[in-house]
Amino acid sequence: MAKNNSSGRKMRKQELLQKIVEFLQQQNKQSFNYKQIAFGIGVTNPSRRLDVLNALDELVAADDITEVDLGKYKAKSNRGVESIGYFVRRSNGKNAVVVDDEMIMVAERNSMHALNGDKVRVVVSAARKGQDPEAKVIEIVEAKDQQFVGTLKIDKNYAALVTDSKFLAADIIISRSRLKGGKNGDKAVARIIQWKDDEMNPRGEIIDILGTKGENNTEMHAILAEYGLPYRYPENVEKAANKIDAGITDEEVARREDFRGVTTFTIDPRDAKDFDDALSIRQLANGNWEVGVHIADVTHYVRPGTIIDKEAQKRATSVYLVDRTIPMLPEHLSNGICSLRPDEEKLTFSAIFEMDAKANVINSRIGRTVIKSNRRFTYEEAQDIIETGKGDFCNEVLTLNNLAQELRRRRYQNGALEFNRSEVRFEIDETGKPISVYFKESKEANKLVEEFMLLANLTVAESVGKVTGKKKAKSFVYRVHANPDPEKIGNLAIIASRFGYKLVTDGNSRTVNKSVNNLLKDIKGKGEENMLSMLAIRSMAKAVYTTENIGHYGLAMPYYTHFTSPIRRYPDMMVHRLLARYASGGRSVDRLKLEDECTHDSDMEQLAANAERASIRYKQVEYMQERLGEIYDGVISGVTEWGFFVELDDSHCEGLVPIRDLADDYYDFDEKNYCLIGRQHGVRYTLGDKVRVQVARADLDRKQLDFALIDDKGNPSKAFHPSGYNKPGKRHEISKKHRKNSKRKK
């Protein structure tokens, strides 16, 4: 970035505006915050950065530059020329196309009926003064393969799928020959086969009938289908897996290090069936401890290119919904021959550590092994041993816990983040109906296992990525976590300050992370804990898989990978294969091909996480459906232009107070300060405010709860009108009874 002597004198306003525009135009359509722009044009004096911020606001207002995100600016795209982008379709009709990180509106008449995610060619029109630019789709370059979930509506002359999708407002017309046996009211999956320019609705065909709407299996399968995730295993893959034998022969054992005589056990959730990691421990003659992290040797059984491997590669991960696990591998492998069950000989891939009493690693090795687990512990059983000092293998468990605590202490000392947000769980009956809510917390037994898994992952990543001299590291799969956006950390500090907490945002990563950890400790057990810890997580970047090692910010580790869960994650299988290849002197694999696989795995991981959250939302709504009218205390956990979200204190269920129900004023959304502000009375609803609400509506199809504000006397607030009126001049749907009464009064 070019600098000049402008920092030594105050620029004239016109010169400042011109330099900002020129700087952004030279940056290849990248976006920057005001501090980066100030540095780029040579304004290094902090007191003069305010001039830059004011100039940016003026340039945005004049439509000379674009604010692509809160506090992020870039040069305007060339108008009137063709561009390639990705179409964004919304059920509310606000369609758009994303071109070079800029979102440009597209009217339906100009969309060519492109679907969400389609790659399109567009022409962007020049914006009229005071109006946003618009784009017109002129070609669908690449149609994204997608499917839609909804409910079949069938009568004598008409059949359609009424979709649940937030990406499609129109029903899909289905001819009777393409219903696949579906009946009126069935939940089904469909694809669009035609959408003519002059037709309001697309035409499609049914792919699968999920079952009767409202049944638990139907709704869970619908969530998986909504995200394009599989909900059943192909029969041919199951059959192929069932033919695989454990194959622990004398010849195979001879090729491995034998740990069958070493004390070994697993520690897992009580409902777990796939045990993919075990720990062994024994004391050496020199007084040090040998700790083995033993991982199921899945790739010994699943060979590259087989139908089992191809199916696992496509799925990339197991999916964990509220009431079930959809495994990456067939059950014969995941719960059978690969699972490290007690009193059974198992083939493993292991990281072995010699450690002193202070958990310093004296030396380590990685290789294939054979084990025989002595005991299967649940987390609760291991926790009881830690707390009481009594139980099976208590000396071994306590020694491992002491070593893990020292590892954890050093990790936090080095700047690792400590997130301990409790997870919402449901107790469900045999039909899948939620009957109570509880919270899963990570205790010492969980952290014991976690620390040794982290150590194994770090050691494996270092074994390939850490090279000396002029050597070049071979291609590898890393799990990386980028530094957080400084502006998001700044916003977190502002919100935390409203509760009386101070968060350091300047300095190196260790300083900032130490301050975040102190915040997380200070809020422990307080009403704002869940919200602030959630916002802290949101301020961080997402961890992904890649061949480009940039380290793991959250763990404060320069090298990190995933090696310890090959039963449920395909990247771990990739890591196992790369380790075996390189250990035998194999050449580095093709980096570009490996990167494509990493991208796929990251995308599938995100889809699985979205599906898991959707299943939790569904169960939350189902749980609260029987509590309509009940009153709860909560905290405002999110603010949007259409209302604010409230998280209930006792269950962490989240619902929306719609802006349409705030009838006492016209409210504006202040995005920078996370609040809604009444124009007339100045009433504010701000992130973190404590409120009392009543459960007003529970919509299972949309997986959404609506709350109504309650005043101090326990009555519906004047901001909420049950009759159905909202903002001046507008009204939402009201009951038939109310309409009849209105007619009588007239």
Side-chain angles (χ1 to χ4, degrees), residues 30-61:
Q30 295 182 68
S31 59
F32 299 88
N33 61 37
Y34 83 96
K35 289 182 181 178
Q36 293 168 321
I37 293 169
F39 180 78
I41 64 174
V43 177
T44 56
N45 190 325
S47 65
R48 293 179 182 166
R49 287 179 181 166
L50 184 60
D51 295 337
V52 175
L53 191 59
N54 291 333
L56 288 165
D57 288 340
E58 189 172 328
L59 289 168
V60 170

Side-chain angles (χ1 to χ4, degrees), residues 2-20 37-44 48 51-52 55:
K3 293 185 183 180
N4 52 43
N5 61 1
S6 304
S7 58
R9 60 179 174 80
K10 190 168 183 177
M11 291 188 198
R12 292 191 302 273
K13 179 180 177 182
Q14 201 57 40
E15 181 186 1
L16 181 63
L17 294 172
Q18 183 179 345
K19 284 187 175 296
I20 290 173
I37 293 169
F39 180 78
I41 64 174
V43 177
T44 56
R48 293 179 182 166
D51 295 337
V52 175

Side-chain angles (χ1 to χ4, degrees), residues 326-466:
I326 295 84
M328 181 183 76
L329 294 169
E331 187 174 340
H332 178 64
L333 291 172
S334 59
N335 296 352
I337 62 176
C338 290
S339 185
L340 308 183
R341 299 183 297 201
D343 300 318
E344 296 181 13
E345 293 182 351
K346 297 290 180 177
L347 302 181
T348 46
F349 214 138
S350 305
I352 314 299
F353 304 94
E354 181 184 345
M355 308 175 78
D356 64 20
K358 295 293 184 182
N360 296 305
V361 177
I362 308 304
N363 58 63
S364 64
R365 62 189 185 277
I366 301 165
R368 283 185 148 132
T369 55
V370 58
I371 69 166
K372 186 176 182 181
S373 174
N374 300 95
R375 176 74 149 81
R376 183 256 162 136
F377 288 106
T378 65
Y379 281 122
E380 291 80 7
E381 290 169 337
Q383 184 64 31
D384 187 60
I385 292 172
I386 292 170
E387 292 176 1
T388 66
K390 298 176 182 178
D392 294 345
F393 303 106
C394 61
N395 291 333
E396 288 85 350
V397 171
L398 292 172
T399 300
L400 285 171
N401 188 54
N402 290 336
L403 294 171
Q405 286 183 328
E406 183 61 26
L407 289 171
R408 187 161 64 252
R409 185 193 66 76
R410 285 206 299 266
R411 192 160 56 81
Y412 292 144
Q413 190 178 51
N414 290 335
L417 285 167
E418 184 176 7
F419 287 113
N420 284 318
R421 189 169 182 260
S422 58
E423 299 177 34
V424 178
R425 290 289 183 266
F426 293 92
E427 183 183 351
I428 57 178
D429 64 17
E430 63 277 1
T431 66
K433 181 180 177 181
I435 54 178
S436 67
V437 179
Y438 65 95
F439 303 106
K440 178 185 175 184
E441 293 191 30
S442 181
K443 295 186 177 181
E444 283 182 281
N446 304 75
K447 294 173 182 177
L448 182 164
V449 176
E450 179 186 32
E451 287 305 322
F452 285 106
M453 298 306 117
L454 291 175
L455 179 62
N457 288 333
L458 165 68
T459 304
V460 166
E462 283 183 336
S463 72
V464 176
K466 194 173 185 179

Side-chain angles (χ1 to χ4, degrees), residues 700-715:
L700 275 172
D701 288 336
R702 293 166 60 201
K703 305 178 189 70
Q704 182 173 306
L705 290 170
D706 280 359
F707 293 151
L709 283 175
I710 296 297
D711 63 22
D712 294 337
K713 296 179 181 179
N715 300 314

Side-chain angles (χ1 to χ4, degrees), residues 387-617:
E387 292 176 1
T388 66
K390 298 176 182 178
D392 294 345
F393 303 106
C394 61
N395 291 333
E396 288 85 350
V397 171
L398 292 172
T399 300
L400 285 171
N401 188 54
N402 290 336
L403 294 171
Q405 286 183 328
E406 183 61 26
L407 289 171
R408 187 161 64 252
R409 185 193 66 76
R410 285 206 299 266
R411 192 160 56 81
Y412 292 144
Q413 190 178 51
N414 290 335
L417 285 167
E418 184 176 7
F419 287 113
N420 284 318
R421 189 169 182 260
S422 58
E423 299 177 34
V424 178
R425 290 289 183 266
F426 293 92
E427 183 183 351
I428 57 178
D429 64 17
E430 63 277 1
T431 66
K433 181 180 177 181
I435 54 178
S436 67
V437 179
Y438 65 95
F439 303 106
K440 178 185 175 184
E441 293 191 30
S442 181
K443 295 186 177 181
E444 283 182 281
N446 304 75
K447 294 173 182 177
L448 182 164
V449 176
E450 179 186 32
E451 287 305 322
F452 285 106
M453 298 306 117
L454 291 175
L455 179 62
N457 288 333
L458 165 68
T459 304
V460 166
E462 283 183 336
S463 72
V464 176
K466 194 173 185 179
V467 294
T468 56
K470 296 182 179 180
K471 290 182 180 179
K472 185 178 180 182
K474 293 181 178 180
S475 300
F476 199 58
V477 176
Y478 297 98
R479 179 71 168 178
V480 304
H481 185 221
N483 290 4
D485 186 330
E487 290 191 26
K488 289 185 177 180
I489 290 289
N491 290 337
L492 173 63
I494 292 170
I495 297 164
S497 68
R498 293 176 185 153
F499 293 90
Y501 304 108
K502 185 177 180 181
L503 182 65
V504 176
T505 59
D506 295 324
N508 59 34
S509 60
R510 182 179 295 189
T511 301
V512 173
N513 286 5
K514 183 179 179 181
S515 183
V516 172
N517 286 340
N518 287 336
L519 169 67
L520 296 173
K521 289 177 184 176
D522 291 341
I523 63 178
K524 190 71 176 173
K526 298 178 181 176
E528 60 271 18
E529 177 188 2
N530 207 50
M531 187 203 69
L532 286 177
S533 61
M534 176 186 65
L535 288 174
I537 293 171
R538 288 180 182 174
S539 70
M540 299 295 154
K542 284 186 173 65
V544 296
Y545 299 106
T546 180
T547 59
E548 299 297 326
N549 181 40
I550 60 170
H552 198 293
Y553 175 85
L555 296 174
M557 291 181 178
Y559 300 90
Y560 192 68
T561 190
H562 273 170
F563 162 78
T564 54
S565 295
I567 288 178
R568 62 184 179 91
R569 294 187 305 225
Y570 195 78
D572 301 56
M573 289 177 59
M574 293 162 62
V575 166
H576 283 215
R577 286 172 179 159
L578 290 171
L579 285 173
R581 178 189 179 99
Y582 296 154
S584 63
R587 297 176 61 183
S588 182
V589 300
D590 185 285
R591 188 179 295 273
L592 293 178
K593 183 179 178 182
L594 195 60
E595 184 64 32
D596 287 342
E597 292 181 358
C598 287
T599 300
H600 170 72
D601 293 342
S602 297
D603 292 343
M604 294 303 293
E605 178 189 37
Q606 188 60 53
L607 281 178
N610 292 341
E612 179 183 0
R613 284 193 289 269
S615 76
I616 292 171
R617 285 197 304 272

Side-chain angles (χ1 to χ4, degrees), residues 283-296:
Q283 193 163 26
L284 301 175
N286 61 5
N288 289 337
W289 296 98
E290 182 187 75
V291 177
V293 179
H294 306 285
I295 309 302

